[in-house]
Amino acid sequence: MISNREKVMLVITLLAILYGALGLTLRGRLERLRAQRDALREQQTLLADREALVAQRASWEAQYAELQDLMPVFDQNRRVDTYWLGIMDRVAAKNNFSIIKPQVGEEKLAGDVYEMPIDCKDWEGSLEGLVGFLYDLQAEGAMLDVRAMFIRPVPNKPALLRGSFTLFCAYLREPPDPAAAANGERSP
């Protein structure tokens, strides 16, 4: 037979075990709840940022309409790499800036605008030439963008710099002529 004292001790022990188990499960659930709240706040912030961008649509469209006239429009079949290389070479020569072996990347469509990267893995020039080159590229309009540039000094020539950069060129293509495409399909 169990005494009253033992019964009370048993009840207290069971209650302690139950409260301990409840505390452990509640702790895990609280941590999950906090993580879910943080994720929800992050998603709400992201949504608010995107809604703000959508709210600025008229402003973006106005800027696009303004800058669209600055972008050259090329025929569908025309190679554009020589056009961009010509501009880059002209601006470089004007600023005594030497670009060695530029490599033209593949044309990519981004919305309505085409982009073509020109990778210049090796260039050399003075700081003034570099600044003049970058300024003149920017003055060409919104269609030229240097997105990555690395600069290092030339060890034996302290007045010269060397490095690499990637120039992205943006342009538009004329839409294909539906009548010409239809005539082209019918010809044998």
Side-chain angles (χ1 to χ4, degrees), residues 15-117:
L15 284 175
I17 291 172
L18 287 174
Y19 278 117
L22 180 64
L24 289 176
T25 43
L26 187 61
R27 183 178 180 186
R29 288 183 182 188
L30 286 175
E31 287 176 6
R32 283 194 301 265
L33 181 63
R34 284 186 196 119
Q36 288 175 347
R37 281 186 190 159
D38 291 342
L40 177 64
R41 283 189 200 116
E42 185 178 313
Q43 292 296 322
Q44 287 173 335
T45 303
L46 183 63
L47 178 64
D49 290 345
R50 290 186 178 170
E51 285 175 343
L53 283 175
V54 170
Q56 296 174 354
R57 180 179 179 158
S59 171
W60 290 109
E61 286 176 346
Q63 285 181 1
Y64 178 73
E66 227 176 83
L67 297 176
Q68 184 179 11
D69 295 337
L70 296 175
M71 283 193 195
V73 179
F74 297 104
D75 183 42
Q76 285 289 333
N77 299 324
R78 181 175 175 198
R79 288 187 53 196
V80 295
D81 55 346
T82 54
Y83 175 81
W84 297 115
L85 288 171
I87 290 176
M88 190 175 68
D89 289 342
R90 177 179 46 83
V91 171
K94 176 182 172 186
N95 292 289
N96 295 325
F97 190 75
S98 175
I99 299 173
I100 304 161
K101 295 183 185 175
Q103 296 176 345
V104 177
E106 191 174 313
E107 172 181 87
K108 293 182 182 170
L109 182 62
D112 296 341
V113 178
Y114 287 88
E115 284 187 336
M116 176 180 288

Side-chain angles (χ1 to χ4, degrees), residues 1-3 6-7:
M1 197 152 220
I2 300 175
S3 69
E6 290 174 341
K7 287 180 186 178

